[in-house]
Amino acid sequence: MMKNSQLYKGSLTTIIMKLLQENGRMYGYEITQKVKAITEGDLNITEGALYPALHKLEADGLLEVEFEKVDNRQRKYYRLTSKGVTETKNLLSELEDFIRNMQTLVKPNLEF
């Protein structure tokens, strides 16, 4: 899936939802390229990881889909539903807590 996949695997949903929160609507390939650009190539999401995650989010009512014809092809765009907007806020809050706890756990403890 990605570099250091075990560390990132649990964050894929949050990454997708955060990007959709910021960009309004996106199609799958656009999501993979945006992640690659933001992380300067450090993080690559494969289609095999992305599309099952998108389909699950859609099935859970967190994403809605729009089709648009682009260059004679149907392109599938994803957008957060109102439930998805709320869930994104919750996920980001959880992630911030997780990061804060991990930083506390891994930084050297100078109080011996």
Side-chain angles (χ1 to χ4, degrees), residues 10-19 57 88 91-92 95:
S11 302
L12 181 57
T13 296
T14 307
I15 292 166
I16 292 167
M17 294 175 76
K18 174 65 173 166
L19 285 173
L57 290 168
T88 301
L91 286 171
L92 291 172
L95 183 60

Side-chain angles (χ1 to χ4, degrees), residues 11 14 90-100:
S11 302
T14 307
N90 294 337
L91 286 171
L92 291 172
S93 177
E94 284 178 26
L95 183 60
E96 287 169 11
D97 290 343
F98 174 78
I99 291 168
R100 190 170 33 259

Side-chain angles (χ1 to χ4, degrees), residues 47-86:
E47 289 183 13
L50 177 67
Y51 288 102
L54 287 170
H55 295 149
K56 181 175 183 344
L57 290 168
E58 183 184 352
D60 291 345
L62 302 174
L63 298 184
E64 60 188 17
V65 172
E66 292 175 9
F67 289 94
E68 189 174 300
K69 199 164 197 162
V70 178
D71 297 328
N72 247 1
R73 293 182 52 221
Q74 284 287 92
R75 184 174 283 167
K76 192 174 186 178
Y77 283 92
Y78 298 90
R79 175 190 311 276
L80 293 174
T81 61
S82 56
K83 181 180 172 185
V85 169
T86 302

